[in-house]
Amino acid sequence: MLDIKIDEKTVSTLLENAINERVDELAKQKYFLTYNELSKYLNISKPIIEDRLIKNGLKYYKIGSKYLFKKSEVDEFLDDVTSCMNATNNDLKFFTKIKQVVGSI
């Protein structure tokens, strides 16, 4: 058995450093992604983003001629899309979200 003794000041310093590193990581994360950044983030082409994601409901924000995508909404959208896939229907390139039709009585 190991008997390691660490004083309170060392623990406090280590904890403070870990917290500061995480805060720096969070500060560097982007809130919005451009088309190019989204393409790199998902590792898919711009035409696939347009044809398969935007046409199936991925939200975007337009500022002038620039399109921006909220990173959290992209992640949520993809979680929803991939939850609809199975072993034989798992190619995003051919994915079309099934529209639910609600009939009236």
Side-chain angles (χ1 to χ4, degrees), residues 83-96:
S83 71
C84 299
M85 294 180 169
N86 58 37
T88 58
N89 176 23
N90 61 2
D91 192 340
L92 188 61
K93 197 172 186 179
F94 302 110
F95 177 77
T96 302

Side-chain angles (χ1 to χ4, degrees), residues 101-105:
V101 179
V102 179
S104 58
I105 298 178

